[in-house]
Amino acid sequence: MSDASLHASPYENEAQFGDYFALLKPRVMTLVVFTAFVGLLAAPVGVHPFVGFCAVLFIAVGGGASGALNMWYDSDIDAVMKRTAKRPIPAGKVTRDEALAIGLTLSVFAVVFLGLATNWVAAGLLAFTIFFYVVVYTMWLKRLTPQNIVIGGAAGAFPPMIGWAAATGDISTASVLMFCLTFLWTPPHFWALALFVRMDYDNATVPMLTVTHGRRATRRHVLVYTVLLAVFAIGLGFTQVGGPVYLATSVLLNALFLKGAVQIARRDEAQAEADSYKVEKKFFKLSLLYLFAHFGAILVDAGLDRLGVWG
Amino acid sequence: MSLVKEHELHKRRRGRNIGVGLVLAAFIAIIFGLTFVKVTRENFQVQPQQGVTDGN
């Protein structure tokens, strides 16, 4: 027995509070919080600031709970992928049972309290989002189809719709189009990344479009989804959440995004490798700005509208 | 063997205990805040009990 093993604490791997918090996927939660907040504020019905704060918090907790349930179910594949091997379960900090218990408890808590704080339409949408992400995406389709990114993107697209429903108590064209914005943005965003980053999904037997259908098909998919995205994103500008700031932002960003997608579709691997995937990397960076700027512009227009700037 | 005042377990789990404590405190504050906002709204009404309305 070595000297080091004699002095090693048997509790070295004991979970700290941060490990339990990491189960909730805090990075994903930031997007959930931001888009839910925009959905809530863009709604034509005013909400008491504290109720609004609680609504966004409960939506974030619900999103976090589905993250914990995803980590519970996917712990086998998380352990074999470099990107996810340090997550609390594969790292041996938190047990699968603990993750399941936390995920289920927080799911029920978030749905019930969102219902009590706002209304049951919003709570129902949150419950459906958790079900969709955990059961439809994680358990059923993620390991079955290379379109898994599209399905996962749908789960991540619900928060602005829930935020809107928390304020208004219903679903409208504007809230559905806000859903479409994130839903259609996810595939080109992720597939652009998959083109220039080697991912180890193969080891985990998760089908990725770049592997199952090849890089040529992935490039075409990026273009198709970008065209669809442009239609829905600019269309959102003509609903009640749209305004001059949103329309200007959307037209400009969609023109740039389409240009990038056309370039990606026209390139082959030899060209991409020659310039170290310059176009794909630029497109990916633009995609981050794209989503943030679109929701940010909705927020700006909502603010200007409340201040009576547009008359 | 009984636990001494500052057992090793207390030190080891301090972060976890403080975290759970803060979450519980935040939970109480949220419930209190929500209740306050709901009952001070103009349209807040307490449902009358059946016996009271019937004059029994």
Side-chain angles (χ1 to χ4, degrees), chain A residues 4 17-18 20 23 28 43 50 78 88 94 113 117 130 145 208 212 217 222 239 243 246 251 273 305:
Chain A
F17 188 75
Y20 292 108
L23 282 177
V28 179
F50 190 75
D78 281 352
V94 177
F113 276 87
I130 297 169
T145 165
M208 291 310 293
T212 58
V222 168
T239 66
Y246 178 86
V251 168
E273 273 172 21
D305 192 43

Side-chain angles (χ1 to χ4, degrees), chain A residues 65-257:
Chain A
S66 55
L69 291 170
N70 169 274
M71 284 199 205
W72 159 73
Y73 191 81
D74 276 350
S75 61
D76 58 335
I77 56 175
D78 281 352
V80 295
M81 292 194 293
K82 205 175 160 190
R83 183 176 68 86
T84 52
K86 285 182 182 167
R87 282 181 176 174
I89 300 175
K93 299 263 184 185
V94 177
T95 65
R96 286 188 79 227
D97 288 347
E98 282 179 307
L100 176 64
I102 289 170
L104 289 176
T105 308
L106 289 183
S107 295
V108 174
F109 165 82
V111 170
V112 170
F113 276 87
L114 182 63
L116 291 172
T118 60
N119 59 70
W120 296 102
V121 174
L125 277 173
L126 181 62
F128 180 73
T129 306
I130 297 169
F131 167 81
F132 190 85
Y133 185 66
V134 177
V135 178
V136 179
Y137 170 68
T138 305
M139 293 181 176
W140 182 24
L141 295 172
K142 182 178 175 179
R143 302 180 193 212
L144 211 65
T145 165
Q147 296 295 321
N148 42 23
I149 294 307
V150 181
I151 298 139
F158 278 108
M161 239 178 129
I162 308 172
W164 177 281
T168 63
D170 65 19
I171 295 166
S172 71
T173 312
S175 75
V176 171
L177 287 178
M178 280 195 282
F179 164 87
C180 291
L181 191 60
T182 314
F183 171 56
L184 293 169
W185 165 86
T186 309
H189 161 78
F190 188 87
W191 284 328
L193 179 73
L195 282 171
F196 67 84
V197 171
R198 286 262 168 249
M199 295 186 178
D200 43 8
Y201 282 99
D202 280 0
N203 303 337
T205 63
V206 175
M208 291 310 293
L209 194 67
T210 42
V211 178
T212 58
H213 289 66
R215 294 171 159 264
R216 179 87 229 118
T218 307
R219 289 172 184 280
R220 277 199 305 270
H221 273 71
V222 168
L223 178 60
V224 170
Y225 276 95
T226 306
V227 171
L228 285 172
L229 173 64
V231 173
F232 282 87
I234 294 171
L236 180 59
F238 295 98
T239 66
Q240 61 203 110
V241 301
V245 176
Y246 178 86
L247 263 178
T249 307
S250 187
V251 168
L252 175 69
L253 283 173
N254 278 291
L256 293 171
F257 215 41

Side-chain angles (χ1 to χ4, degrees), chain B residues 3-54:
Chain B
L3 289 177
V4 292
K5 195 178 175 188
E6 184 65 17
H7 191 271
E8 177 266 342
L9 182 75
H10 294 137
K11 270 188 194 160
R12 187 155 41 88
R13 295 209 172 153
R14 179 163 291 149
R16 228 158 109 169
N17 293 337
I18 291 172
V20 173
L22 288 174
V23 168
L24 289 174
F27 178 63
I28 293 165
I30 283 165
I31 300 304
F32 178 77
L34 270 178
T35 310
F36 182 79
V37 169
K38 294 246 172 199
V39 299
T40 51
R41 274 200 308 211
E42 282 173 19
N43 58 353
F44 177 75
Q45 275 184 326
V46 179
Q47 291 289 324
Q49 287 175 5
Q50 194 69 37
V52 174
T53 52
D54 292 346

